[in-house]
Amino acid sequence: MDETTVQNPGGRPDGESGQAGPCMPRTERVAGRVFAYHTIDSTNVEARRLLFDGTLCPGHGSIAVIAADTQSAGRGRLDHTWVSRPGESFAVTFVVSVPRALATDGSVNGWLQMIAGLAAIDGLQGAVRQCDAEPVDAESGCMLKWPNDIFIGDRKLGGILSEMAPLQESTQAGSDRIAIIFGIGLNLAIAADRLPTPQATSLQLHYAPLPEAEELRDIIAAGIAESLSQRLRRFETDPETEARALCDETERICYTLGRHAVAHFVDGSEMEGEAVALNADASLDLRTSDGVVHTIRTADVGVLPDPCV
């Protein structure tokens, strides 16, 4: 694993004062590199900058973490904006590398972002246990909404933006591996009357007591980094066997399955139907009102109220 460092690379100012970034001691112990900022445009964009200039070149088994108190230009899937304020949100990007052949294998590569979702749930559940927090309502279990959202009850806690990026070809890691950037945004301490949408929620509305946001972010990020590293290592070793296990695991906590859903495609079209199955390649089957089953591989899928009979 790379030497652990907390830094502000390339002389980039951190907020107006130029002061050192936040401390993340737990994450430092499990991640290869940690870059922490008070303010930045986007942690995913910073990950791409660090990869492009050669500061980051994660090899097999290593993981880098980029965190920020505030993002001025955060974004989610399909270029949705993600607004974060100090003390309220978790805005952290995790950078790993996988074999290029695995990342481009359509029979299993859909599981890469699902692995990130499962790791996020691992980090959240681990943090709740570590903080001795108790549920404050009956709907406090985390679920994964296909393909990239974390839900508690019927509301969205956060989401994941997954991107591929090249590694520097001049390095050994860059010859046959490719970087995967997982940007994870979670609502940690947003009051109910300030949530961005009626469908959103925040962790402190479901669990108490919780520590201050900076400490909570560090605990969650460390748990995600550890889970993500372990899960990807298993997946890289035996993708087909691990894909079957991931499918079974995800089915048990998939918020989308069995619900009336709508798939929003990048060309602006939509498709409504019942989410009836999660497939071995991580795709989702949607049965439309005419009884035809359509396989969805890339879309933003929302869950709708059940149609009137």
Side-chain angles (χ1 to χ4, degrees):
M1 184 174 287
D2 299 334
E3 180 182 358
T4 300
T5 56
V6 180
Q7 54 187 284
N8 188 343
R12 302 185 185 102
D14 192 307
E16 295 181 0
S17 65
Q19 63 190 32
C23 294
M24 301 184 70
R26 297 172 180 84
T27 309
E28 293 170 40
R29 290 196 288 268
V30 297
R33 304 285 295 275
V34 177
F35 301 86
Y37 304 87
H38 289 296
T39 302
I40 200 169
D41 50 359
S42 161
T43 54
N44 269 32
V45 170
E46 178 68 349
R48 284 188 171 275
R49 284 193 288 254
L50 295 171
L51 288 164
F52 180 78
D53 66 20
T55 302
L56 278 184
C57 194
H60 176 72
S62 73
I63 186 167
V65 176
I66 300 101
D69 292 337
T70 302
Q71 294 186 116
S72 60
R75 62 190 178 90
R77 188 176 174 87
L78 300 183
D79 287 329
H80 296 162
T81 57
W82 176 273
V83 177
S84 60
R85 298 182 182 181
E88 293 186 346
S89 302
F90 177 99
V92 182
T93 290
F94 301 82
V95 185
V96 301
S97 74
V98 298
R100 189 181 300 273
L102 180 62
T104 56
D105 183 349
S107 69
V108 293
N109 63 4
W111 289 110
L112 289 169
Q113 73 172 346
M114 306 293 279
I115 284 172
L118 292 168
I121 290 176
D122 289 341
L124 285 162
Q125 292 177 335
V128 167
R129 290 193 298 269
Q130 189 171 334
C131 298
D132 292 323
E134 297 290 338
V136 298
D137 59 31
E139 295 185 337
S140 293
C142 290
M143 302 188 77
L144 188 61
K145 183 177 77 68
W146 191 96
N148 66 323
D149 289 337
I150 309 300
F151 265 48
I152 293 182
D154 289 326
R155 289 178 168 80
K156 180 178 175 177
L157 182 71
I160 300 166
L161 177 63
S162 304
E163 305 175 87
M164 286 196 295
L167 295 171
Q168 293 291 334
E169 293 294 342
S170 59
T171 65
Q172 183 178 359
S175 60
D176 61 354
R177 301 181 72 84
I178 192 166
I180 308 290
I181 300 169
F182 297 114
I184 301 179
L186 303 168
N187 299 323
L188 298 183
I190 303 178
D193 61 355
R194 291 191 54 254
L195 287 166
T197 72
Q199 291 75 40
T201 192
S202 187
L203 191 66
Q204 99 287 350
L205 300 176
H206 300 275
Y207 290 97
L210 293 172
E212 293 298 317
E214 185 169 313
E215 181 182 358
L216 180 59
R217 176 181 60 192
D218 187 27
I219 295 171
I220 295 172
I224 293 174
E226 191 167 19
S227 174
L228 188 58
S229 180
Q230 293 172 355
R231 286 178 176 277
L232 287 173
R233 191 179 301 117
R234 294 196 301 267
F235 189 59
E236 186 173 331
T237 300
D238 189 349
E240 293 184 1
T241 299
E242 192 62 18
R244 290 192 293 270
L246 288 166
C247 190
D248 290 342
E249 180 181 6
T250 305
E251 281 181 339
R252 293 193 292 269
I253 59 168
C254 184
Y255 178 80
T256 316
L257 285 178
R259 298 178 186 268
H260 188 63
V262 55
H264 303 278
F265 300 100
V266 293
D267 64 359
S269 62
E270 296 181 352
M271 178 184 295
E272 286 191 30
E274 181 187 359
V276 293
L278 184 65
N279 300 311
D281 64 353
S283 61
L284 182 74
D285 280 350
L286 206 65
R287 185 171 58 218
T288 50
S289 58
D290 57 5
V292 176
V293 175
H294 304 263
T295 298
I296 311 299
R297 291 186 170 82
T298 303
D300 186 29
V301 174
V303 172
L304 302 172
D306 289 334
C308 296
V309 178

